[in-house]
Structure formats: C-alpha cells, structure tokens
Amino acid sequence: MATALTISVKTVEATLTRVYRKLGLHSRVQLAHTVTPAHESPARTPRATGQVG
C-alpha cells in the first residue's frame, strides 16, 4: 500500500502509531472496529474484498 502511494512504509507506520495513540487504540483490528459502522463488518467492505477501483 505504501509503495502504491509513493510514501515509505515507515511513514505509514509512524502515522498509524500516532492515530492509535490519539484514539486510545492498540491494533489495526481496534481501528477497523472504530471506523466501521456497527452494521457493517470490516471483512465485507469493498477494500477488504479487493473491489476498490
């Protein structure tokens, strides 16, 4: 993903770390649950199934 955006992996990791800290989260799973509406499972989103653009 980082290479597709032409940014470094370290930039993505650092940004995610700051997001986790600000939201009081500890993992990508917690982040997914936080940003996904309750009626929609993260596994069913277009991005998770590879159906994005």
Side-chain angles (χ1 to χ4, degrees):
M1 179 68 157
T3 55
L5 298 172
T6 63
I7 58 175
S8 75
V9 172
K10 289 291 185 185
T11 299
V12 173
E13 290 172 349
T15 302
L16 285 173
T17 298
R18 285 192 299 276
V19 169
Y20 296 157
R21 190 177 314 126
K22 286 183 180 185
L23 296 176
L25 306 174
H26 301 285
S27 71
R28 288 184 184 199
V29 172
Q30 286 180 325
L31 180 60
H33 286 292
T34 299
V35 300
T36 304
H39 66 278
E40 185 177 342
S41 168
R44 301 181 95 171
T45 61
R47 183 173 304 242
T49 59
Q51 298 174 2
V52 173

